[in-house]
């Protein structure tokens, strides 16, 4: 195992975050905090409690998940796409680094960044809404698992994309709508039966509900199903990454 | 000499059907400077990219210090450093950090003293904390070399390392190359400045249309393929070469002051005595004469033209 290489990639990615602190950390924290101010403190006080949880507190797990998904995908996709774009990928391809080590380096950096961000958002949320975490270990498990899974997805997107527009395509046109329609701001039990059934086809519903269960002990769907689906998605992403390195897709001519 | 790179029947066919390399066989010895020459699109970069693991081969084998570069990629790649043709660096990173990153990527622990020595050798020490985007093109090229040397490779590939670099910088770079050779590093270089290959290389390989058409010791190549020219400075200018001298294929300079005769140094008879006699018989007098050896560039051009 080339631990020095993993450390080099991880350190390089974290250095990029330090250089762009405003854009990487402060901006997403402020943007998400605005939701707490508007929906939690301002409008939230006029909305009845959901399953005994105030509306402001109810939306926190969903909003944290929204940021986690977006940031994991963006961090990892940019991390691997940028060397391809500027040509420095030659160094990675010619170094004695296995595919596994490359993925560990980029994905762990992306995941750590989004987890730190998620923690900051939760800490900020606690200033505006009454936040509690019933199952902290489960919360951390969901956080880490989701960050790793979507960082892998981001890595795949970063390999697939051949321009900056494609890089933004999945976070903006797929993840954001799915998260907004995935029970971030409402319980899917409140939907008419048909739309509840449609919502169950949305994978983000399971991520949001699993995560929300770790906060308040309540979810619209079975929490083990949430965990199982997250693990299945993680395995699917790992499979695609394995195929990418086996075939050299978009990496080697 | 101990071989350090052994290439056997190496072929590369791209998805488009273009055959970039056609069954290339090549052995490069440890500690030598090997110049790979060829026109644009001949296959030089493809060959280097396959050896370094950046491109995939279609068939054949590449062994570096006995390690197959695919089956035993990690061991093979540890030994190799690459300076690619294009300048590709992370513009926002500092010189010191980017060179340290390269060392880590190649599985070596941090060594600030070594990196600093490298930066000093490449006249980059005063730029160690500068962002790469603030450097000139030549400086960026030096950073690329520092990155390639950061893990102390035994084999260094320099793909057009002096393209777009000013004369002074180029001279400095070749100084570094000479020092590396003294330290036992094997250097494989491609260059368009053939005079550099002529000055630096121990052996020369010429590749054209994906085929390695020649591999030779540089000095032997110069002897074998090198032609000499005898130039006669005429006492009186002439407007055309007299018919009596047509057998010698003489070239008359545009001002009519010089006659040039090309001859093969390895031929049994060079024809010089016969030419001088014919000149005397025709009453053509000359004030002075000189001979010159053809350069590697002329040999290269001739080889590639012959291969067309």
């Amino acid at each position: 195992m080339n631990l020095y290489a993993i450390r080099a990639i991880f350190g390089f990615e974290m250095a990029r975050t330090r250089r762009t602190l405003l854009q990487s950390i402060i901006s997403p924290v402020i943007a998400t905090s605005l939701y707490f101010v508007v929906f939690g403190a301002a409008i939230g006080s006029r909305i009845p409690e959901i399953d005994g949880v105030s509306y402001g507190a109810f939306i926190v797990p969903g909003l944290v998940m929204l940021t986690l998904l977006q940031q994991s995908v963006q961090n990892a996709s940019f991390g691997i796409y940028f060397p391809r774009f500027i040509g420095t990928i030659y160094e990675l391809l010619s170094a004695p680094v296995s595919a596994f080590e490359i993925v560990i380096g980029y994905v762990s950096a992306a995941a750590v960044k989004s987890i730190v961000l998620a923690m900051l958002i939760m800490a900020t949320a606690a200033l505006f809404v009454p936040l509690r975490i019933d199952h902290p270990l489960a919360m951390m498990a969901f956080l880490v698992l989701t960050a790793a899974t979507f960082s892998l997805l981001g890595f795949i997107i970063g390999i697939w994309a051949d321009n900056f527009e494609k890089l933004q395509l999945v976070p903006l046109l797929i993840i954001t709508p799915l998260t907004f329609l995935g029970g971030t701001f409402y319980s899917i039990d409140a939907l008419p039966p048909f739309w509840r059934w449609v919502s169950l086809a949305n994978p983000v519903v399971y991520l949001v509900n699993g995560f929300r269960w770790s906060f308040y002990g309540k979810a619209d769907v079975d929490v083990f199903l949430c965990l199982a689906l997250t693990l299945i998605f993680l395995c699917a992403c790992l499979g695609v990454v394995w195929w990418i390195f086996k075939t050299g897709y978009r990496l080697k001519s | 000499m101990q071989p350090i790179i052994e290439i056997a029947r190496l072929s590369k066919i791209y998805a488009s059907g273009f055959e970039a390399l056609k069954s290339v066989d090549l052995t490069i010895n440890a500690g030598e400077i090997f110049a790979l020459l060829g026109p644009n699109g001949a296959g030089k970069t493809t060959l280097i990219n396959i050896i370094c693991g950046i491109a995939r081969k279609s068939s054949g084998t590449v062994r570096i210090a006995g390690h197959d570069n695919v089956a035993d990629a990690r061991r093979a790649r540890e030994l190799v450093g690459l300076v690619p043709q294009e300048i590709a660096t992370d513009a926002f990173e500092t010189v010191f950090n980017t060179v340290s990153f390269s060392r880590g990527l190649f599985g070596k622990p941090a060594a600030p003293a070594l990196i600093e020595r490298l930066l000093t050798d490449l006249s980059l020490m005063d730029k160690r904390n500068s962002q790469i985007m603030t450097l000139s093109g030549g400086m960026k090229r030096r950073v690329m070399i520092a990155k390639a040397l950061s893990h102390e490779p035994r084999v260094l590939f320099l793909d057009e390392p002096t393209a777009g670099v000013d004369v002074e910088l180029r001279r400095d770079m070749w100084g570094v190359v000479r020092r590396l050779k003294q330290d036992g590093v094997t250097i494989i270089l491609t260059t368009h400045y053939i005079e550099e290959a002529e000055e630096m290389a121990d052996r020369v390989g010429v590749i054209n249309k994906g085929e390695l058409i020649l591999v030779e010791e540089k000095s032997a190549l110069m002897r074998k393929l090198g032609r000499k020219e005898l130039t006669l400075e005429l006492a009186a200018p002439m407007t055309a070469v007299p018919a009596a001298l047509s057998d010698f294929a003489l070239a008359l300079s545009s001002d009519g002051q010089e006659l040039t005769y090309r001859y093969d140094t390895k031929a049994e008879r060079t024809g010089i005595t016969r030419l001088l006699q014919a000149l005397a018989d025709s009453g053509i007098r000359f004030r002075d004469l000189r001979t010159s050896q053809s350069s590697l560039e002329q040999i290269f051009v001739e080889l590639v033209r012959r291969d067309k």
Side-chain angles (χ1 to χ4, degrees):
Chain A
M1 177 81 88
N2 187 346
L3 291 175
Y4 289 114
I6 295 173
R7 202 164 73 179
I9 295 169
F10 184 87
F12 187 84
E13 285 298 297
M14 296 315 274
R16 187 157 57 79
T17 306
R18 281 196 296 276
R19 282 199 305 267
T20 56
L21 212 56
L22 192 70
Q23 179 200 336
S24 306
I25 305 286
I26 297 171
S27 169
V29 169
I30 291 175
T32 316
S33 300
L34 291 175
Y35 283 106
F36 302 134
V37 174
V38 174
F39 292 102
I43 302 174
S45 57
R46 298 177 188 198
I47 299 175
E49 288 186 347
I50 301 172
D51 291 332
V53 178
S54 74
Y55 185 69
F58 177 83
I59 63 171
V60 171
L63 287 173
V64 170
M65 194 52 78
L66 172 68
T67 308
L68 191 74
L69 301 187
Q70 281 180 334
Q71 291 296 319
S72 299
V73 169
Q74 278 176 1
N75 287 333
S77 60
F78 190 81
I80 190 67
Y81 177 73
F82 199 58
R84 287 179 57 219
F85 178 70
I86 61 173
T88 53
I89 192 80
Y90 84 88
E91 202 173 18
L92 202 61
L93 296 176
S94 63
V97 194
S98 69
F100 179 69
E101 289 152 359
I102 292 174
V103 171
I104 291 277
Y106 280 106
V107 168
S108 62
V112 165
K113 277 189 266 184
S114 11
I115 289 169
V116 168
L117 203 54
M119 297 289 208
L120 284 172
I121 289 169
M122 282 190 272
T124 314
L127 301 175
F128 298 98
V129 296
L131 197 64
R132 70 167 205 269
I133 301 171
D134 288 354
H135 307 286
L137 284 179
M139 188 274 287
M140 275 312 292
F142 270 112
L143 205 62
V144 171
L145 208 57
T146 310
T149 304
F150 279 77
S151 295
L152 273 171
L153 176 66
F155 189 85
I156 294 165
I157 293 166
I159 299 279
W160 164 76
D162 49 17
N163 57 46
F164 280 99
E165 196 180 19
K166 280 187 181 172
L167 211 58
Q168 294 298 325
L169 209 67
V170 174
L172 287 180
L173 294 184
I174 298 176
I175 290 177
T176 304
L178 284 183
T179 313
F180 272 79
L181 299 172
T184 297
F185 295 101
Y186 54 85
S187 162
I188 62 164
D189 286 341
L191 295 173
F194 174 74
W195 290 110
R196 186 184 189 282
W197 181 78
V198 170
S199 292
L200 289 175
N202 178 356
V204 179
V205 164
Y206 302 91
L207 298 173
V208 169
N209 271 280
F211 197 50
R212 185 176 287 139
W213 172 85
S214 69
F215 280 73
Y216 310 119
K218 291 190 172 63
D220 298 338
V221 287
D222 184 351
V223 72
F224 288 105
L225 182 62
C226 299
L227 186 65
L229 286 174
T230 311
L231 285 170
I232 288 170
F233 192 43
L234 175 72
C235 293
C237 289
L238 282 172
V240 175
V241 169
W242 174 81
W243 175 82
I244 284 171
F245 281 100
K246 187 173 181 289
T247 59
Y249 173 74
R250 298 259 167 123
L251 286 175
K252 293 187 180 189
S253 57
Chain B
M1 265 189 160
Q2 194 77 1
I4 193 150
I5 295 179
E6 297 158 281
I7 298 165
R9 297 179 303 284
L10 187 68
S11 296
K12 173 69 183 175
I13 304 168
Y14 285 102
S16 62
F18 175 69
E19 204 174 353
L21 292 177
K22 298 169 186 169
S23 196
V24 170
D25 291 295
L26 175 64
T27 300
I28 292 167
N29 299 316
E32 74 172 333
I33 298 182
F34 185 88
L36 188 61
L37 308 178
N40 287 335
K44 303 185 294 292
T45 300
T46 302
L47 179 61
I48 289 176
N49 284 351
I50 290 175
I51 297 171
C52 294
I54 295 170
R56 292 167 166 269
K57 64 189 178 188
S58 299
S59 61
T61 57
V62 176
R63 298 177 76 81
I64 302 167
H67 306 291
D68 186 282
N69 82 328
V70 176
D72 197 4
R74 196 189 288 273
R75 301 288 294 279
R77 290 180 188 182
E78 278 169 358
L79 306 170
V80 175
L82 167 67
V83 182
Q85 204 173 106
E86 304 290 332
I87 294 178
T89 54
D90 192 315
F92 304 103
E93 196 50 272
T94 65
V95 171
F96 186 86
N97 285 351
T98 197
V99 177
S100 300
F101 168 75
S102 299
R103 184 173 167 83
L105 211 51
F106 277 77
K108 293 283 179 82
L114 183 139
I115 304 284
E116 285 182 359
R117 197 172 65 235
L118 204 53
L119 296 182
T120 306
D121 285 350
L122 288 158
S123 310
L124 283 168
M125 196 53 190
D126 58 330
K127 303 282 183 191
R128 67 195 294 271
N129 295 318
S130 303
Q131 280 191 315
I132 294 170
M133 64 181 174
T134 63
L135 304 182
S136 67
M139 285 289 181
K140 284 179 188 160
R141 185 72 73 177
R142 287 176 188 218
V143 173
M144 303 281 287
I145 295 179
K147 281 167 80 69
L149 293 175
S150 64
H151 63 285
E152 304 154 280
R154 280 175 59 194
V155 180
L156 179 67
F157 285 90
L158 298 166
D159 195 1
E160 303 281 355
T162 52
V165 168
D166 67 40
V167 179
E168 193 184 349
L169 238 66
R170 202 185 302 168
R171 211 170 289 149
D172 285 357
M173 278 193 194
W174 293 124
V176 171
V177 169
R178 280 196 193 93
R179 284 201 294 277
L180 288 169
K181 181 180 160 62
Q182 280 167 10
D183 292 344
V185 177
T186 307
I187 294 152
I188 296 101
L189 71 97
T190 72
T191 177
H192 274 131
Y193 302 105
I194 295 175
E195 69 274 19
E196 285 178 350
E198 188 173 343
E199 192 189 325
M200 305 288 304
D202 298 310
R203 284 198 307 152
V204 174
V206 178
I207 190 167
N208 192 29
K209 296 178 195 162
E211 282 180 285
L212 200 58
I213 55 177
L214 176 139
V215 176
E216 192 72 80
E217 293 276 340
K218 184 190 67 191
S219 48
L221 177 67
M222 304 286 284
R223 276 199 309 274
K224 195 193 288 184
L225 295 172
R227 287 176 171 276
K228 283 190 90 169
E229 284 182 353
L230 169 68
T231 304
L232 301 162
E233 203 177 304
L234 301 171
M238 60 172 65
T239 51
V241 178
L245 301 174
S246 59
D247 287 352
F248 298 97
L250 298 171
L252 181 66
S253 63
S254 55
D255 60 0
Q257 298 276 13
E258 289 183 348
L259 275 176
T260 303
Y261 171 60
R262 293 184 75 193
Y263 61 97
D264 187 347
T265 50
K266 286 189 55 116
E268 199 177 324
R269 290 168 190 273
T270 59
I272 293 174
T273 313
R274 211 157 53 84
L275 171 67
L276 295 178
Q277 185 62 53
L279 285 167
D281 293 347
S282 305
I284 299 170
R285 299 174 63 191
F286 52 91
R287 282 196 305 224
D288 200 359
L289 60 82
R290 64 178 185 275
T291 62
S292 60
Q293 179 96 31
S294 54
S295 67
L296 185 59
E297 180 157 355
Q298 287 165 319
I299 295 170
F300 167 71
V301 168
E302 184 126 322
L303 275 170
V304 172
R305 196 169 46 216
R306 241 190 264 167
D307 193 50
K308 272 185 182 169

